[in-house]
Amino acid sequence: AACASLERELDLLERVPAMVFKVDMPDGQRCIEFREGDNCYELAKQFIKANNLTKELINPLAAHMESKLIEEDILDPYT
């Protein structure tokens, strides 16, 4: 398990974030880092779980992230 965790950390270091989303929370801001190859839905799901938020927020958060990435030409809307 420690080896898998180390591999994940190395992968994150090698893949620089293409965009960082700041999410306002009652106790301050949290960030979601999007890297090439990431999936907005999976990132949103992880964020919602890690912050004990309602699952109903996953789809709107993922959709918001996707629209911003398309707007900045980071994601291709046709893929």
Side-chain angles (χ1 to χ4, degrees):
C3 187
S5 177
L6 182 59
E7 285 176 3
R8 176 165 160 56
E9 290 295 319
L10 287 171
D11 180 54
L12 291 176
L13 288 172
E14 289 173 359
R15 294 187 306 135
V16 177
M19 183 175 271
V20 177
F21 298 92
K22 292 183 177 162
V23 181
D24 291 325
M25 303 286 288
D27 60 344
Q29 280 190 336
R30 300 276 191 287
C31 293
I32 302 173
E33 295 181 345
F34 178 90
R35 291 173 167 79
E36 186 177 329
D38 282 347
N39 177 292
C40 289
Y41 180 81
E42 289 302 319
L43 287 176
K45 194 164 106 177
Q46 292 168 10
F47 181 83
I48 295 301
K49 184 177 180 180
N51 289 283
N52 297 313
L53 301 172
T54 178
K55 290 180 182 179
E56 285 75 24
L57 295 173
I58 295 172
N59 286 330
L61 178 57
H64 173 74
M65 291 167 59
E66 284 180 359
S67 70
K68 287 293 182 188
L69 289 163
I70 290 168
E71 195 176 288
E72 296 294 321
D73 289 327
I74 295 170
L75 267 188
D76 182 350
Y78 302 107
T79 58

